[in-house]
Coordinates of all heavy atoms in Angstrom, one line a residue:
A73 N 68.5 -103.5 -26.3 CA 68.9 -104.7 -27.0 C 69.8 -104.5 -28.2 O 70.2 -105.6 -28.8 CB 67.7 -105.6 -27.3
G74 N 70.0 -103.4 -28.6 CA 70.8 -103.1 -29.8 C 70.2 -103.3 -31.2 O 70.8 -103.5 -32.2
N75 N 68.8 -103.4 -31.1 CA 68.1 -103.5 -32.4 C 67.8 -102.0 -32.9 O 66.9 -101.4 -32.7 CB 66.6 -104.1 -32.1 CG 67.0 -105.6 -31.6 OD1 67.8 -106.3 -32.1 ND2 66.0 -105.9 -30.7
H76 N 68.8 -101.6 -33.7 CA 68.7 -100.2 -34.1 C 67.8 -100.1 -35.4 O 67.9 -100.8 -36.3 CB 70.2 -99.8 -34.7 CG 71.2 -99.9 -33.5 ND1 72.4 -100.4 -33.7 CD2 71.1 -99.7 -32.1 CE1 73.1 -100.4 -32.6 NE2 72.3 -100.1 -31.6
K77 N 67.0 -99.0 -35.2 CA 65.9 -98.8 -36.2 C 66.2 -97.4 -36.9 O 67.0 -96.6 -36.5 CB 64.5 -98.7 -35.6 CG 64.1 -100.1 -34.9 CD 62.8 -99.9 -34.2 CE 62.3 -101.3 -33.6 NZ 61.2 -101.1 -32.8
D78 N 65.6 -97.3 -38.1 CA 65.5 -96.0 -38.9 C 67.0 -95.5 -39.3 O 67.2 -94.3 -39.2 CB 64.8 -95.0 -38.0 CG 63.4 -95.4 -37.5 OD1 62.8 -96.2 -38.3 OD2 63.0 -95.0 -36.5
I79 N 67.8 -96.5 -39.5 CA 69.2 -96.1 -40.0 C 69.2 -95.2 -41.2 O 69.9 -94.1 -41.2 CB 70.0 -97.2 -40.1 CG1 70.1 -98.1 -38.9 CG2 71.5 -96.9 -40.5 CD1 70.6 -97.4 -37.6
D80 N 68.4 -95.5 -42.2 CA 68.4 -94.7 -43.5 C 67.9 -93.2 -43.2 O 68.5 -92.3 -43.7 CB 67.4 -95.4 -44.5 CG 68.1 -96.7 -45.1 OD1 69.3 -96.9 -44.9 OD2 67.3 -97.5 -45.7
E81 N 66.9 -93.2 -42.3 CA 66.3 -91.9 -42.0 C 67.3 -91.1 -41.2 O 67.5 -89.8 -41.5 CB 65.1 -92.0 -41.2 CG 63.9 -92.5 -42.0 CD 63.8 -94.0 -42.2 OE1 64.8 -94.7 -41.7 OE2 62.9 -94.6 -42.8
V82 N 68.1 -91.7 -40.4 CA 69.1 -91.0 -39.5 C 70.2 -90.5 -40.6 O 70.6 -89.3 -40.4 CB 69.7 -91.9 -38.5 CG1 70.9 -91.2 -37.8 CG2 68.7 -92.2 -37.4
S83 N 70.6 -91.3 -41.4 CA 71.7 -91.0 -42.4 C 71.3 -89.8 -43.2 O 72.0 -88.8 -43.4 CB 71.8 -92.2 -43.3 OG 72.9 -91.8 -44.3
K84 N 70.0 -89.8 -43.7 CA 69.4 -88.6 -44.5 C 69.4 -87.4 -43.6 O 69.8 -86.2 -44.0 CB 67.9 -88.9 -44.8 CG 67.3 -87.8 -45.5 CD 65.9 -88.2 -46.0 CE 65.2 -87.0 -46.7 NZ 63.8 -87.3 -47.0
M85 N 69.1 -87.4 -42.3 CA 69.1 -86.2 -41.4 C 70.4 -85.7 -41.2 O 70.7 -84.5 -41.3 CB 68.5 -86.6 -40.0 CG 67.0 -86.9 -40.1 SD 65.9 -85.6 -40.6 CE 65.3 -86.3 -42.0
I86 N 71.4 -86.5 -41.1 CA 72.9 -86.0 -41.0 C 73.3 -85.5 -42.2 O 73.9 -84.4 -42.1 CB 73.7 -87.3 -40.5 CG1 73.3 -87.8 -39.1 CG2 75.1 -87.0 -40.6 CD1 74.1 -89.0 -38.7
D87 N 73.1 -86.1 -43.3 CA 73.5 -85.5 -44.6 C 73.0 -84.2 -44.7 O 73.6 -83.2 -45.5 CB 73.1 -86.4 -45.7 CG 73.8 -87.7 -45.8 OD1 74.9 -87.8 -45.1 OD2 73.4 -88.6 -46.5
Q88 N 71.8 -83.9 -44.3 CA 71.1 -82.5 -44.4 C 71.5 -81.5 -43.4 O 70.9 -80.5 -43.2 CB 69.7 -82.7 -44.6 CG 69.2 -83.5 -45.8 CD 67.9 -83.3 -46.3 OE1 67.2 -82.3 -45.9 NE2 67.5 -83.9 -47.4
G89 N 72.5 -82.0 -42.5 CA 73.0 -81.1 -41.5 C 72.1 -80.8 -40.4 O 72.3 -79.7 -39.7
N90 N 71.3 -81.7 -40.0 CA 70.3 -81.5 -38.8 C 71.0 -82.0 -37.6 O 71.8 -82.9 -37.6 CB 69.0 -82.2 -39.1 CG 68.2 -81.6 -40.2 OD1 67.9 -80.4 -40.3 ND2 67.7 -82.6 -41.1
M91 N 70.6 -81.3 -36.5 CA 71.2 -81.8 -35.2 C 70.5 -83.0 -34.7 O 69.2 -83.1 -34.8 CB 70.9 -80.6 -34.1 CG 71.6 -80.9 -32.8 SD 71.3 -79.4 -31.7 CE 72.3 -78.3 -32.4
V92 N 71.2 -83.9 -34.4 CA 70.6 -85.3 -33.8 C 71.2 -85.5 -32.3 O 72.3 -85.5 -32.0 CB 71.1 -86.4 -34.7 CG1 70.5 -87.7 -34.3 CG2 70.8 -86.2 -36.2
L93 N 70.1 -85.8 -31.5 CA 70.4 -86.0 -30.0 C 70.1 -87.5 -29.8 O 68.9 -87.9 -29.8 CB 69.5 -85.1 -29.2 CG 69.6 -85.5 -27.7 CD1 70.9 -85.1 -27.2 CD2 68.5 -84.8 -26.9
P94 N 71.1 -88.3 -29.6 CA 70.9 -89.7 -29.3 C 70.6 -89.8 -27.8 O 71.3 -89.2 -26.9 CB 72.3 -90.4 -29.6 CG 73.1 -89.4 -30.3 CD 72.5 -88.1 -29.8
I95 N 69.5 -90.5 -27.5 CA 69.2 -90.8 -26.0 C 69.4 -92.4 -25.8 O 69.0 -93.2 -26.4 CB 67.8 -90.4 -25.7 CG1 67.7 -88.9 -25.9 CG2 67.4 -91.0 -24.4 CD1 66.3 -88.4 -25.7
Y96 N 70.3 -92.6 -24.7 CA 70.4 -94.0 -24.3 C 70.0 -94.1 -22.8 O 69.9 -93.1 -22.1 CB 71.9 -94.4 -24.6 CG 73.0 -93.6 -24.0 CD1 73.7 -94.3 -22.8 CD2 73.3 -92.4 -24.3 CE1 74.7 -93.6 -22.3 CE2 74.3 -91.7 -23.7 CZ 75.0 -92.3 -22.7 OH 76.0 -91.6 -22.0
Y97 N 70.0 -95.3 -22.3 CA 69.4 -95.5 -21.0 C 70.2 -96.2 -19.9 O 69.9 -96.2 -18.8 CB 68.2 -96.5 -21.1 CG 67.2 -95.9 -22.2 CD1 67.2 -96.3 -23.5 CD2 66.2 -95.0 -21.9 CE1 66.3 -95.8 -24.4 CE2 65.4 -94.3 -22.7 CZ 65.3 -94.8 -24.1 OH 64.5 -94.4 -25.0
K98 N 71.4 -96.7 -20.4 CA 72.3 -97.4 -19.3 C 73.6 -96.8 -19.3 O 74.2 -96.7 -20.5 CB 72.2 -98.9 -19.5 CG 72.9 -99.6 -18.4 CD 72.9 -101.2 -18.7 CE 73.7 -102.0 -17.7 NZ 73.6 -103.5 -17.9
Q99 N 74.2 -96.5 -18.2 CA 75.6 -96.0 -18.1 C 76.6 -97.0 -18.8 O 76.4 -98.1 -18.6 CB 76.0 -95.7 -16.7 CG 77.3 -95.2 -16.4 CD 77.3 -93.7 -16.6 OE1 76.5 -93.0 -16.3 NE2 78.4 -93.1 -17.4
G100 N 77.4 -96.3 -19.7 CA 78.4 -97.2 -20.5 C 77.8 -98.0 -21.6 O 78.5 -98.8 -22.1
A101 N 76.5 -97.9 -21.9 CA 75.9 -98.7 -23.0 C 75.7 -97.9 -24.3 O 74.9 -98.3 -25.2 CB 74.6 -99.3 -22.5
F102 N 76.3 -96.7 -24.4 CA 76.1 -96.0 -25.6 C 76.2 -96.7 -26.8 O 75.5 -96.8 -27.8 CB 76.9 -94.7 -25.5 CG 76.7 -93.7 -26.8 CD1 75.8 -92.7 -26.7 CD2 77.6 -94.0 -27.9 CE1 75.7 -92.0 -27.8 CE2 77.4 -93.1 -29.0 CZ 76.4 -92.0 -29.0
R103 N 77.3 -97.5 -27.0 CA 77.8 -98.1 -28.2 C 76.8 -99.3 -28.4 O 76.6 -99.8 -29.7 CB 79.2 -98.7 -28.1 CG 80.2 -97.5 -28.1 CD 81.6 -98.1 -28.1 NE 82.7 -97.0 -28.1 CZ 83.0 -96.3 -29.0 NH1 82.5 -96.7 -30.3 NH2 83.9 -95.3 -29.0
T104 N 76.2 -99.8 -27.4 CA 75.2 -101.0 -27.6 C 73.9 -100.3 -28.1 O 73.2 -100.9 -29.1 CB 75.0 -101.8 -26.4 OG1 76.2 -102.2 -26.0 CG2 74.0 -102.8 -26.5
E105 N 73.4 -99.3 -27.5 CA 72.1 -98.8 -27.7 C 71.9 -98.0 -29.0 O 70.9 -97.7 -29.5 CB 71.6 -98.0 -26.4 CG 71.4 -99.0 -25.2 CD 70.9 -98.1 -24.0 OE1 70.2 -97.2 -24.2 OE2 71.2 -98.5 -22.9
I106 N 73.1 -97.2 -29.3 CA 73.0 -96.2 -30.4 C 73.8 -96.8 -31.5 O 74.9 -97.3 -31.4 CB 73.6 -94.9 -29.8 CG1 72.9 -94.4 -28.6 CG2 73.6 -93.8 -31.1 CD1 71.4 -94.1 -28.9
P107 N 73.2 -96.7 -32.8 CA 73.9 -97.1 -34.0 C 75.2 -96.5 -34.3 O 75.4 -95.3 -33.9 CB 72.9 -96.8 -35.1 CG 72.0 -95.8 -34.5 CD 72.0 -96.0 -33.1
A108 N 76.1 -97.1 -35.0 CA 77.4 -96.6 -35.2 C 77.4 -95.2 -35.9 O 78.3 -94.4 -35.9 CB 78.2 -97.6 -35.9
I109 N 76.4 -95.0 -36.8 CA 76.3 -93.8 -37.6 C 76.3 -92.6 -36.7 O 76.6 -91.5 -37.1 CB 75.2 -93.9 -38.6 CG1 75.2 -92.8 -39.6 CG2 73.7 -93.9 -37.7 CD1 74.3 -92.9 -40.7
L110 N 75.8 -92.8 -35.4 CA 75.8 -91.6 -34.5 C 76.9 -91.7 -33.4 O 76.8 -91.0 -32.4 CB 74.4 -91.7 -33.8 CG 73.2 -91.4 -34.6 CD1 72.0 -91.6 -33.8 CD2 73.3 -90.0 -35.2
S111 N 77.9 -92.5 -33.8 CA 79.0 -92.6 -32.7 C 79.7 -91.3 -32.4 O 80.3 -91.1 -31.4 CB 80.0 -93.6 -33.2 OG 80.6 -93.2 -34.4
N112 N 79.7 -90.4 -33.3 CA 80.4 -89.1 -33.1 C 79.4 -88.1 -32.4 O 79.9 -86.9 -32.2 CB 80.9 -88.5 -34.4 CG 82.1 -89.2 -34.9 OD1 82.8 -89.8 -34.0 ND2 82.1 -89.4 -36.2
Q113 N 78.2 -88.4 -32.2 CA 77.3 -87.4 -31.6 C 77.4 -87.6 -30.1 O 77.7 -88.5 -29.4 CB 75.8 -87.7 -31.8 CG 75.5 -87.8 -33.4 CD 75.6 -86.5 -34.0 OE1 76.5 -86.3 -35.0 NE2 74.9 -85.5 -33.6
N114 N 77.2 -86.4 -29.4 CA 77.3 -86.3 -27.9 C 75.9 -86.8 -27.4 O 75.0 -86.0 -27.5 CB 77.6 -84.9 -27.5 CG 77.9 -84.9 -25.9 OD1 78.1 -85.8 -25.4 ND2 77.8 -83.6 -25.4
G115 N 75.8 -88.0 -26.9 CA 74.5 -88.5 -26.4 C 74.2 -88.1 -25.1 O 75.0 -87.5 -24.3

Side-chain angles (χ1 to χ4, degrees):
N75 297 319
H76 304 143
K77 298 177 180 175
D78 306 328
I79 303 301
D80 290 344
E81 288 79 2
V82 172
S83 177
K84 179 181 177 182
M85 293 297 119
I86 293 174
D87 289 345
Q88 297 205 2
N90 291 314
M91 185 177 294
V92 182
L93 173 66
I95 293 178
Y96 61 109
Y97 304 96
K98 186 177 178 182
Q99 183 77 42
F102 181 88
R103 292 182 182 281
T104 301
E105 298 184 25
I106 301 299
I109 193 172
L110 293 173
S111 60
N112 289 328
Q113 303 295 120
N114 188 16

